Every structure is written in C-alpha cells, then in structure tokens.
Amino acid sequence: MTHRTALFGRRILLAAGGAALAAPALAQTWPSRDLRMIVPFPPGGTTDVVARLVAMAMRDKLGRAVVVENQPGAGSTTSAGRFAREGDDHAMFVSQIASHGIAPALYRNLTYNPEDDFKALTLMVTVPNVWVANPRNVPGGDVRALLRDAKARQGIRTFASAGNGTSTHLTGELINQQTGARFQHVPYRGAGPGMVAVMGGEVDTFIDNLPTALPQIRAGTVIPLAVTSATRLAVLPDVPALAELGAEFNLEGFAAEAWFGLHTHRSASDEVVQRMGDAIRAALSEPAMQAQLAERGTQPRPVPAAEYAALVTAELARWREVVRQGNILVQ
C-alpha cells in the first residue's frame, strides 16, 4: 500500500467517524429554542383542543415550550401552503384529512404538495363520524330501511354536511357510491347549521364528527343511525357500524374517519424528525392524555412516521377516486 493510499483511507475513516458523531451532537443541541405548532383552524374546535393538549405534554419531553399558533383559512390550505414555504425545523403542522387527504383531490392549484413539502411525524388521533337522523323523518332509526328506500327512490332522501368538499360531504358520497343509494347532498356552512337543519326536519339525515354530534344524541333531539368507524364505539355501543350492514349494501370493511396528525417541514433532518415523533408519541401514550382525548370523542393513534406517511398516501388516492366518480366540484 502506498503512503498516498493509506492517507486517503485514513481520511475516509475520519470522515465516517465525524458523520457518526453528528447525530448525537444534533440530539444534544436540538431543540435550541421553543417550538411552534401550527393549527390551521380557529381556537376552540376539536383540532385545536387536541393540539393544545399534545403541545403541553411535549414540553416535558423536550424541555422546550411548544407554542400553538392558530392560522385558519380556506379549509386549512392557506396555512399549509405558508408552512410549505418555510424552512423551520422547530415547527410542526397539524395535518388532517382536509389538508393532506381531500384538498389535493379537489383543488388543482394548491400551493403545496402534501407529500413532497412535508415530513410525517405521527398520527395523533382519529375521529369517527356518526350518521344521525331526524326521528320524524326516519322512524325508529332503521338504517337498513333507510338505505333500501334511498336505493328505490333515487335522489329523494337527503343528507346534510358541514359544507361542500368537507370530509363529512365526501363520506356521504362514498356511502352513495358503495351502496348504490342516491341521497341528495345538502351542504351547510358548518356543523352547527347542519345539525339545526336535521333537528328542524329540513333534511332527513346529517353526517357529523362524533364529538360535536354527541350532545344532541344524548339529548334525544337526533337519533344515531350508524357510525363510520370500522367497529362499534364504546360511547355508542348500541349503534351499528356501517361495516356491519354487509353484502346487501356493499359495505363490508367500510371505514371513513377524520384524522389529525403532525408533519414538519421537508428540510428537517431525519434525527429531528425522530426526536419530534418520539416526543409526540410519548405524550399520546400517557394514560391521562388518552383519557382526556377519549372524553372528547377522539381515539389516540400514535404510530411511526412511516406508517403515518403511508396513511396519507392511501387517503390521497382514496378521496381522489371518490371525487372523480362523484364528479364533485367546489367553488
């Protein structure tokens, strides 16, 4: 071996040793300041409440405050686009079915790519939907009889949603497509007006997120027909999951839930992604945290970053197909 070759080999070994030391060094220096958690909705909603609970718990895991910033607008797409243009590895974005599942299926000119511009950290929670009805319009709350009627009388029965292009709208469209029924969609400006409409009998049924529907179900002003989770829920043990309706309605394995997770910017290193994800999953795994989330009608679902990224990919494909088949347009 020549002197030059030996020297070259030594340099390679030194370089490799330096790279191996880089990760521990980063682990000791990051985070170097407080973190930000961007919530793309106004304060007070389910997404905001979940984010604040997790942010508070993360402080103990990382030794830094996690400051929640509410940036509402355009169904979460405005703040998602802004986040994609940033390069902050001390920031997290509360990604959800709207920004990272449905919006790319509906809008051609988004200012972000939900996969290329972000790095997945973890799923936080899933939120089942519940299909409720006006007791006078759906006597006895018989979901099977309702579906048979909607198949026989196409376009006569109605379902309300929180608005065009929302997850509750597309869930109703998915039910239409799989069952062959044809419920007429009636969009409202938010869950509140939709619930008022079904209570007043303006529409037959309404698809809503479980946390906001539960108070009216418990008050008896609406009756639950079915939940959209894969199985029944402990909070509504007598209400069937749509998947139980089986072959007659082509609903075997049906599941459609809202979900909230966390992404960071694409510029974050793998080591930062790991530390962020570990802190979030540790916070979500605490029994006290899980109890608080369950009380709000959400189901904790901490998973590895790769699993959350795969969920986003699958949801993007799923809702693109629902939008295509339904020829769904939004203004």
PDB file of all heavy atoms in Angstrom, residues 192-229:
ATOM      1  N   GLY A 192     -72.724  23.304  12.911  1.00  0.00           N
ATOM      2  CA  GLY A 192     -73.833  23.864  13.686  1.00  0.00           C
ATOM      3  C   GLY A 192     -75.097  24.039  12.862  1.00  0.00           C
ATOM      4  O   GLY A 192     -76.171  23.521  13.230  1.00  0.00           O
ATOM      5  N   PRO A 193     -75.037  24.745  11.735  1.00  0.00           N
ATOM      6  CA  PRO A 193     -76.227  24.886  10.895  1.00  0.00           C
ATOM      7  C   PRO A 193     -76.747  23.558  10.353  1.00  0.00           C
ATOM      8  O   PRO A 193     -77.952  23.370  10.202  1.00  0.00           O
ATOM      9  CB  PRO A 193     -75.736  25.787   9.749  1.00  0.00           C
ATOM     10  CG  PRO A 193     -74.604  26.562  10.344  1.00  0.00           C
ATOM     11  CD  PRO A 193     -73.931  25.614  11.281  1.00  0.00           C
ATOM     12  N   GLY A 194     -75.839  22.624  10.059  1.00  0.00           N
ATOM     13  CA  GLY A 194     -76.274  21.315   9.588  1.00  0.00           C
ATOM     14  C   GLY A 194     -77.081  20.570  10.641  1.00  0.00           C
ATOM     15  O   GLY A 194     -78.094  19.931  10.343  1.00  0.00           O
ATOM     16  N   MET A 195     -76.609  20.643  11.884  1.00  0.00           N
ATOM     17  CA  MET A 195     -77.331  19.989  12.967  1.00  0.00           C
ATOM     18  C   MET A 195     -78.702  20.644  13.181  1.00  0.00           C
ATOM     19  O   MET A 195     -79.710  19.957  13.398  1.00  0.00           O
ATOM     20  CB  MET A 195     -76.513  20.038  14.255  1.00  0.00           C
ATOM     21  CG  MET A 195     -77.143  19.294  15.428  1.00  0.00           C
ATOM     22  SD  MET A 195     -77.372  17.516  15.126  1.00  0.00           S
ATOM     23  CE  MET A 195     -75.686  16.919  15.367  1.00  0.00           C
ATOM     24  N   VAL A 196     -78.764  21.959  13.125  1.00  0.00           N
ATOM     25  CA  VAL A 196     -80.044  22.663  13.277  1.00  0.00           C
ATOM     26  C   VAL A 196     -81.013  22.240  12.172  1.00  0.00           C
ATOM     27  O   VAL A 196     -82.208  22.038  12.412  1.00  0.00           O
ATOM     28  CB  VAL A 196     -79.828  24.190  13.253  1.00  0.00           C
ATOM     29  CG1 VAL A 196     -81.162  24.928  13.148  1.00  0.00           C
ATOM     30  CG2 VAL A 196     -79.076  24.644  14.499  1.00  0.00           C
ATOM     31  N   ALA A 197     -80.490  22.055  10.963  1.00  0.00           N
ATOM     32  CA  ALA A 197     -81.338  21.679   9.831  1.00  0.00           C
ATOM     33  C   ALA A 197     -81.956  20.298  10.021  1.00  0.00           C
ATOM     34  O   ALA A 197     -83.136  20.090   9.737  1.00  0.00           O
ATOM     35  CB  ALA A 197     -80.532  21.726   8.535  1.00  0.00           C
ATOM     36  N   VAL A 198     -81.163  19.335  10.488  1.00  0.00           N
ATOM     37  CA  VAL A 198     -81.715  17.991  10.670  1.00  0.00           C
ATOM     38  C   VAL A 198     -82.654  17.963  11.869  1.00  0.00           C
ATOM     39  O   VAL A 198     -83.692  17.269  11.852  1.00  0.00           O
ATOM     40  CB  VAL A 198     -80.597  16.930  10.791  1.00  0.00           C
ATOM     41  CG1 VAL A 198     -79.882  16.999  12.130  1.00  0.00           C
ATOM     42  CG2 VAL A 198     -81.154  15.530  10.571  1.00  0.00           C
ATOM     43  N   MET A 199     -82.378  18.725  12.905  1.00  0.00           N
ATOM     44  CA  MET A 199     -83.275  18.793  14.056  1.00  0.00           C
ATOM     45  C   MET A 199     -84.623  19.391  13.655  1.00  0.00           C
ATOM     46  O   MET A 199     -85.671  18.975  14.160  1.00  0.00           O
ATOM     47  CB  MET A 199     -82.635  19.620  15.173  1.00  0.00           C
ATOM     48  CG  MET A 199     -81.478  18.932  15.873  1.00  0.00           C
ATOM     49  SD  MET A 199     -80.470  20.058  16.887  1.00  0.00           S
ATOM     50  CE  MET A 199     -81.704  20.764  17.963  1.00  0.00           C
ATOM     51  N   GLY A 200     -84.592  20.358  12.746  1.00  0.00           N
ATOM     52  CA  GLY A 200     -85.821  21.010  12.305  1.00  0.00           C
ATOM     53  C   GLY A 200     -86.562  20.275  11.203  1.00  0.00           C
ATOM     54  O   GLY A 200     -87.639  20.704  10.798  1.00  0.00           O
ATOM     55  N   GLY A 201     -85.969  19.196  10.680  1.00  0.00           N
ATOM     56  CA  GLY A 201     -86.642  18.428   9.642  1.00  0.00           C
ATOM     57  C   GLY A 201     -86.430  18.947   8.237  1.00  0.00           C
ATOM     58  O   GLY A 201     -87.072  18.470   7.299  1.00  0.00           O
ATOM     59  N   GLU A 202     -85.504  19.907   8.059  1.00  0.00           N
ATOM     60  CA  GLU A 202     -85.223  20.404   6.706  1.00  0.00           C
ATOM     61  C   GLU A 202     -84.566  19.315   5.857  1.00  0.00           C
ATOM     62  O   GLU A 202     -84.720  19.297   4.628  1.00  0.00           O
ATOM     63  CB  GLU A 202     -84.292  21.619   6.765  1.00  0.00           C
ATOM     64  CG  GLU A 202     -84.902  22.854   7.402  1.00  0.00           C
ATOM     65  CD  GLU A 202     -83.894  23.987   7.495  1.00  0.00           C
ATOM     66  OE1 GLU A 202     -82.894  23.952   6.739  1.00  0.00           O
ATOM     67  OE2 GLU A 202     -84.092  24.887   8.321  1.00  0.00           O
ATOM     68  N   VAL A 203     -83.801  18.461   6.503  1.00  0.00           N
ATOM     69  CA  VAL A 203     -83.149  17.335   5.834  1.00  0.00           C
ATOM     70  C   VAL A 203     -83.432  16.073   6.640  1.00  0.00           C
ATOM     71  O   VAL A 203     -83.762  16.128   7.828  1.00  0.00           O
ATOM     72  CB  VAL A 203     -81.627  17.548   5.699  1.00  0.00           C
ATOM     73  CG1 VAL A 203     -81.306  18.653   4.714  1.00  0.00           C
ATOM     74  CG2 VAL A 203     -81.002  17.841   7.065  1.00  0.00           C
ATOM     75  N   ASP A 204     -83.305  14.934   5.983  1.00  0.00           N
ATOM     76  CA  ASP A 204     -83.551  13.663   6.670  1.00  0.00           C
ATOM     77  C   ASP A 204     -82.424  13.294   7.618  1.00  0.00           C
ATOM     78  O   ASP A 204     -82.661  12.826   8.742  1.00  0.00           O
ATOM     79  CB  ASP A 204     -83.722  12.527   5.643  1.00  0.00           C
ATOM     80  CG  ASP A 204     -84.923  12.727   4.747  1.00  0.00           C
ATOM     81  OD1 ASP A 204     -85.963  13.187   5.241  1.00  0.00           O
ATOM     82  OD2 ASP A 204     -84.807  12.421   3.541  1.00  0.00           O
ATOM     83  N   THR A 205     -81.190  13.446   7.144  1.00  0.00           N
ATOM     84  CA  THR A 205     -80.040  12.963   7.901  1.00  0.00           C
ATOM     85  C   THR A 205     -78.890  13.953   7.832  1.00  0.00           C
ATOM     86  O   THR A 205     -78.888  14.876   7.007  1.00  0.00           O
ATOM     87  CB  THR A 205     -79.547  11.598   7.366  1.00  0.00           C
ATOM     88  OG1 THR A 205     -78.995  11.776   6.053  1.00  0.00           O
ATOM     89  CG2 THR A 205     -80.682  10.581   7.320  1.00  0.00           C
ATOM     90  N   PHE A 206     -77.917  13.722   8.688  1.00  0.00           N
ATOM     91  CA  PHE A 206     -76.747  14.598   8.765  1.00  0.00           C
ATOM     92  C   PHE A 206     -75.547  13.746   9.176  1.00  0.00           C
ATOM     93  O   PHE A 206     -75.649  12.930  10.095  1.00  0.00           O
ATOM     94  CB  PHE A 206     -76.997  15.704   9.789  1.00  0.00           C
ATOM     95  CG  PHE A 206     -75.837  16.626  10.066  1.00  0.00           C
ATOM     96  CD1 PHE A 206     -75.090  17.177   9.039  1.00  0.00           C
ATOM     97  CD2 PHE A 206     -75.503  16.966  11.373  1.00  0.00           C
ATOM     98  CE1 PHE A 206     -74.035  18.038   9.292  1.00  0.00           C
ATOM     99  CE2 PHE A 206     -74.450  17.824  11.647  1.00  0.00           C
ATOM    100  CZ  PHE A 206     -73.722  18.369  10.608  1.00  0.00           C
ATOM    101  N   ILE A 207     -74.426  13.912   8.501  1.00  0.00           N
ATOM    102  CA  ILE A 207     -73.185  13.228   8.861  1.00  0.00           C
ATOM    103  C   ILE A 207     -72.295  14.229   9.564  1.00  0.00           C
ATOM    104  O   ILE A 207     -71.999  15.301   9.023  1.00  0.00           O
ATOM    105  CB  ILE A 207     -72.489  12.637   7.616  1.00  0.00           C
ATOM    106  CG1 ILE A 207     -73.400  11.610   6.946  1.00  0.00           C
ATOM    107  CG2 ILE A 207     -71.162  11.988   8.007  1.00  0.00           C
ATOM    108  CD1 ILE A 207     -72.864  11.071   5.641  1.00  0.00           C
ATOM    109  N   ASP A 208     -71.877  13.884  10.776  1.00  0.00           N
ATOM    110  CA  ASP A 208     -71.125  14.827  11.600  1.00  0.00           C
ATOM    111  C   ASP A 208     -70.003  14.095  12.317  1.00  0.00           C
ATOM    112  O   ASP A 208     -70.051  12.877  12.512  1.00  0.00           O
ATOM    113  CB  ASP A 208     -72.070  15.464  12.626  1.00  0.00           C
ATOM    114  CG  ASP A 208     -71.480  16.693  13.300  1.00  0.00           C
ATOM    115  OD1 ASP A 208     -70.442  17.206  12.823  1.00  0.00           O
ATOM    116  OD2 ASP A 208     -72.063  17.159  14.301  1.00  0.00           O
ATOM    117  N   ASN A 209     -68.985  14.855  12.728  1.00  0.00           N
ATOM    118  CA  ASN A 209     -67.944  14.283  13.596  1.00  0.00           C
ATOM    119  C   ASN A 209     -68.566  13.947  14.940  1.00  0.00           C
ATOM    120  O   ASN A 209     -69.393  14.694  15.467  1.00  0.00           O
ATOM    121  CB  ASN A 209     -66.796  15.263  13.796  1.00  0.00           C
ATOM    122  CG  ASN A 209     -65.985  15.525  12.547  1.00  0.00           C
ATOM    123  OD1 ASN A 209     -65.434  16.598  12.394  1.00  0.00           O
ATOM    124  ND2 ASN A 209     -65.896  14.573  11.638  1.00  0.00           N
ATOM    125  N   LEU A 210     -68.165  12.830  15.499  1.00  0.00           N
ATOM    126  CA  LEU A 210     -68.745  12.349  16.750  1.00  0.00           C
ATOM    127  C   LEU A 210     -68.708  13.376  17.882  1.00  0.00           C
ATOM    128  O   LEU A 210     -69.729  13.560  18.569  1.00  0.00           O
ATOM    129  CB  LEU A 210     -68.042  11.062  17.176  1.00  0.00           C
ATOM    130  CG  LEU A 210     -68.506  10.444  18.500  1.00  0.00           C
ATOM    131  CD1 LEU A 210     -69.939   9.940  18.379  1.00  0.00           C
ATOM    132  CD2 LEU A 210     -67.569   9.319  18.925  1.00  0.00           C
ATOM    133  N   PRO A 211     -67.587  14.077  18.133  1.00  0.00           N
ATOM    134  CA  PRO A 211     -67.557  14.978  19.293  1.00  0.00           C
ATOM    135  C   PRO A 211     -68.631  16.057  19.262  1.00  0.00           C
ATOM    136  O   PRO A 211     -69.195  16.402  20.301  1.00  0.00           O
ATOM    137  CB  PRO A 211     -66.153  15.593  19.225  1.00  0.00           C
ATOM    138  CG  PRO A 211     -65.340  14.584  18.500  1.00  0.00           C
ATOM    139  CD  PRO A 211     -66.271  13.995  17.477  1.00  0.00           C
ATOM    140  N   THR A 212     -68.939  16.601  18.092  1.00  0.00           N
ATOM    141  CA  THR A 212     -69.933  17.675  18.021  1.00  0.00           C
ATOM    142  C   THR A 212     -71.363  17.140  17.969  1.00  0.00           C
ATOM    143  O   THR A 212     -72.304  17.854  18.316  1.00  0.00           O
ATOM    144  CB  THR A 212     -69.673  18.583  16.806  1.00  0.00           C
ATOM    145  OG1 THR A 212     -69.577  17.779  15.614  1.00  0.00           O
ATOM    146  CG2 THR A 212     -68.366  19.342  16.973  1.00  0.00           C
ATOM    147  N   ALA A 213     -71.525  15.895  17.573  1.00  0.00           N
ATOM    148  CA  ALA A 213     -72.876  15.319  17.489  1.00  0.00           C
ATOM    149  C   ALA A 213     -73.349  14.722  18.811  1.00  0.00           C
ATOM    150  O   ALA A 213     -74.563  14.648  19.066  1.00  0.00           O
ATOM    151  CB  ALA A 213     -72.914  14.247  16.405  1.00  0.00           C
ATOM    152  N   LEU A 214     -72.427  14.287  19.661  1.00  0.00           N
ATOM    153  CA  LEU A 214     -72.793  13.575  20.884  1.00  0.00           C
ATOM    154  C   LEU A 214     -73.785  14.324  21.776  1.00  0.00           C
ATOM    155  O   LEU A 214     -74.728  13.709  22.299  1.00  0.00           O
ATOM    156  CB  LEU A 214     -71.537  13.232  21.685  1.00  0.00           C
ATOM    157  CG  LEU A 214     -70.901  11.868  21.408  1.00  0.00           C
ATOM    158  CD1 LEU A 214     -69.639  11.697  22.241  1.00  0.00           C
ATOM    159  CD2 LEU A 214     -71.867  10.729  21.681  1.00  0.00           C
ATOM    160  N   PRO A 215     -73.623  15.626  22.006  1.00  0.00           N
ATOM    161  CA  PRO A 215     -74.580  16.313  22.889  1.00  0.00           C
ATOM    162  C   PRO A 215     -76.026  16.208  22.407  1.00  0.00           C
ATOM    163  O   PRO A 215     -76.943  16.011  23.220  1.00  0.00           O
ATOM    164  CB  PRO A 215     -74.086  17.765  22.879  1.00  0.00           C
ATOM    165  CG  PRO A 215     -72.628  17.660  22.584  1.00  0.00           C
ATOM    166  CD  PRO A 215     -72.512  16.525  21.618  1.00  0.00           C
ATOM    167  N   GLN A 216     -76.258  16.315  21.104  1.00  0.00           N
ATOM    168  CA  GLN A 216     -77.626  16.234  20.582  1.00  0.00           C
ATOM    169  C   GLN A 216     -78.148  14.800  20.607  1.00  0.00           C
ATOM    170  O   GLN A 216     -79.340  14.567  20.814  1.00  0.00           O
ATOM    171  CB  GLN A 216     -77.679  16.798  19.162  1.00  0.00           C
ATOM    172  CG  GLN A 216     -77.319  18.274  19.062  1.00  0.00           C
ATOM    173  CD  GLN A 216     -78.181  19.160  19.939  1.00  0.00           C
ATOM    174  OE1 GLN A 216     -79.344  18.853  20.208  1.00  0.00           O
ATOM    175  NE2 GLN A 216     -77.617  20.262  20.410  1.00  0.00           N
ATOM    176  N   ILE A 217     -77.245  13.843  20.396  1.00  0.00           N
ATOM    177  CA  ILE A 217     -77.654  12.434  20.504  1.00  0.00           C
ATOM    178  C   ILE A 217     -78.098  12.138  21.930  1.00  0.00           C
ATOM    179  O   ILE A 217     -79.145  11.528  22.167  1.00  0.00           O
ATOM    180  CB  ILE A 217     -76.500  11.501  20.087  1.00  0.00           C
ATOM    181  CG1 ILE A 217     -76.200  11.657  18.594  1.00  0.00           C
ATOM    182  CG2 ILE A 217     -76.833  10.049  20.415  1.00  0.00           C
ATOM    183  CD1 ILE A 217     -74.949  10.916  18.136  1.00  0.00           C
ATOM    184  N   ARG A 218     -77.311  12.599  22.891  1.00  0.00           N
ATOM    185  CA  ARG A 218     -77.636  12.356  24.296  1.00  0.00           C
ATOM    186  C   ARG A 218     -78.904  13.089  24.723  1.00  0.00           C
ATOM    187  O   ARG A 218     -79.639  12.626  25.598  1.00  0.00           O
ATOM    188  CB  ARG A 218     -76.449  12.758  25.168  1.00  0.00           C
ATOM    189  CG  ARG A 218     -75.273  11.778  25.042  1.00  0.00           C
ATOM    190  CD  ARG A 218     -74.016  12.295  25.691  1.00  0.00           C
ATOM    191  NE  ARG A 218     -72.961  11.263  25.700  1.00  0.00           N
ATOM    192  CZ  ARG A 218     -71.684  11.518  25.880  1.00  0.00           C
ATOM    193  NH1 ARG A 218     -71.256  12.773  26.033  1.00  0.00           N
ATOM    194  NH2 ARG A 218     -70.794  10.524  25.885  1.00  0.00           N
ATOM    195  N   ALA A 219     -79.161  14.237  24.105  1.00  0.00           N
ATOM    196  CA  ALA A 219     -80.374  14.995  24.427  1.00  0.00           C
ATOM    197  C   ALA A 219     -81.614  14.409  23.758  1.00  0.00           C
ATOM    198  O   ALA A 219     -82.735  14.773  24.101  1.00  0.00           O
ATOM    199  CB  ALA A 219     -80.199  16.454  24.007  1.00  0.00           C
ATOM    200  N   GLY A 220     -81.414  13.520  22.777  1.00  0.00           N
ATOM    201  CA  GLY A 220     -82.540  12.892  22.099  1.00  0.00           C
ATOM    202  C   GLY A 220     -83.143  13.714  20.983  1.00  0.00           C
ATOM    203  O   GLY A 220     -84.205  13.355  20.442  1.00  0.00           O
ATOM    204  N   THR A 221     -82.491  14.807  20.610  1.00  0.00           N
ATOM    205  CA  THR A 221     -83.031  15.641  19.537  1.00  0.00           C
ATOM    206  C   THR A 221     -82.757  15.059  18.156  1.00  0.00           C
ATOM    207  O   THR A 221     -83.431  15.413  17.190  1.00  0.00           O
ATOM    208  CB  THR A 221     -82.448  17.063  19.619  1.00  0.00           C
ATOM    209  OG1 THR A 221     -81.016  16.982  19.683  1.00  0.00           O
ATOM    210  CG2 THR A 221     -82.959  17.778  20.862  1.00  0.00           C
ATOM    211  N   VAL A 222     -81.734  14.192  18.057  1.00  0.00           N
ATOM    212  CA  VAL A 222     -81.491  13.418  16.836  1.00  0.00           C
ATOM    213  C   VAL A 222     -81.235  11.975  17.246  1.00  0.00           C
ATOM    214  O   VAL A 222     -80.908  11.705  18.410  1.00  0.00           O
ATOM    215  CB  VAL A 222     -80.287  13.959  16.020  1.00  0.00           C
ATOM    216  CG1 VAL A 222     -80.554  15.359  15.488  1.00  0.00           C
ATOM    217  CG2 VAL A 222     -79.003  13.928  16.862  1.00  0.00           C
ATOM    218  N   ILE A 223     -81.403  11.067  16.301  1.00  0.00           N
ATOM    219  CA  ILE A 223     -81.138   9.667  16.596  1.00  0.00           C
ATOM    220  C   ILE A 223     -79.959   9.180  15.745  1.00  0.00           C
ATOM    221  O   ILE A 223     -79.857   9.522  14.569  1.00  0.00           O
ATOM    222  CB  ILE A 223     -82.378   8.776  16.334  1.00  0.00           C
ATOM    223  CG1 ILE A 223     -82.951   9.021  14.932  1.00  0.00           C
ATOM    224  CG2 ILE A 223     -83.445   9.025  17.382  1.00  0.00           C
ATOM    225  CD1 ILE A 223     -84.115   8.114  14.594  1.00  0.00           C
ATOM    226  N   PRO A 224     -79.059   8.413  16.347  1.00  0.00           N
ATOM    227  CA  PRO A 224     -77.913   7.907  15.587  1.00  0.00           C
ATOM    228  C   PRO A 224     -78.309   6.694  14.743  1.00  0.00           C
ATOM    229  O   PRO A 224     -78.929   5.761  15.243  1.00  0.00           O
ATOM    230  CB  PRO A 224     -76.912   7.519  16.678  1.00  0.00           C
ATOM    231  CG  PRO A 224     -77.763   7.174  17.861  1.00  0.00           C
ATOM    232  CD  PRO A 224     -78.983   8.035  17.773  1.00  0.00           C
ATOM    233  N   LEU A 225     -77.949   6.731  13.478  1.00  0.00           N
ATOM    234  CA  LEU A 225     -78.227   5.616  12.574  1.00  0.00           C
ATOM    235  C   LEU A 225     -77.067   4.627  12.537  1.00  0.00           C
ATOM    236  O   LEU A 225     -77.268   3.410  12.571  1.00  0.00           O
ATOM    237  CB  LEU A 225     -78.478   6.137  11.162  1.00  0.00           C
ATOM    238  CG  LEU A 225     -79.630   7.107  10.959  1.00  0.00           C
ATOM    239  CD1 LEU A 225     -79.602   7.649   9.535  1.00  0.00           C
ATOM    240  CD2 LEU A 225     -80.956   6.420  11.251  1.00  0.00           C
ATOM    241  N   ALA A 226     -75.846   5.149  12.424  1.00  0.00           N
ATOM    242  CA  ALA A 226     -74.657   4.300  12.305  1.00  0.00           C
ATOM    243  C   ALA A 226     -73.423   5.144  12.521  1.00  0.00           C
ATOM    244  O   ALA A 226     -73.463   6.376  12.383  1.00  0.00           O
ATOM    245  CB  ALA A 226     -74.601   3.644  10.927  1.00  0.00           C
ATOM    246  N   VAL A 227     -72.320   4.484  12.853  1.00  0.00           N
ATOM    247  CA  VAL A 227     -71.025   5.159  12.923  1.00  0.00           C
ATOM    248  C   VAL A 227     -70.183   4.707  11.740  1.00  0.00           C
ATOM    249  O   VAL A 227     -70.390   3.627  11.186  1.00  0.00           O
ATOM    250  CB  VAL A 227     -70.302   4.870  14.253  1.00  0.00           C
ATOM    251  CG1 VAL A 227     -71.073   5.479  15.416  1.00  0.00           C
ATOM    252  CG2 VAL A 227     -70.083   3.378  14.461  1.00  0.00           C
ATOM    253  N   THR A 228     -69.232   5.558  11.355  1.00  0.00           N
ATOM    254  CA  THR A 228     -68.427   5.260  10.162  1.00  0.00           C
ATOM    255  C   THR A 228     -67.083   4.621  10.494  1.00  0.00           C
ATOM    256  O   THR A 228     -66.277   4.404   9.593  1.00  0.00           O
ATOM    257  CB  THR A 228     -68.188   6.540   9.339  1.00  0.00           C
ATOM    258  OG1 THR A 228     -67.381   7.448  10.118  1.00  0.00           O
ATOM    259  CG2 THR A 228     -69.502   7.211   8.974  1.00  0.00           C
ATOM    260  N   SER A 229     -66.838   4.348  11.766  1.00  0.00           N
ATOM    261  CA  SER A 229     -65.627   3.621  12.154  1.00  0.00           C
ATOM    262  C   SER A 229     -65.770   2.157  11.754  1.00  0.00           C
ATOM    263  O   SER A 229     -66.874   1.680  11.457  1.00  0.00           O
ATOM    264  CB  SER A 229     -65.395   3.744  13.661  1.00  0.00           C
ATOM    265  OG  SER A 229     -66.579   3.448  14.371  1.00  0.00           O
TER     266      SER A 229
END
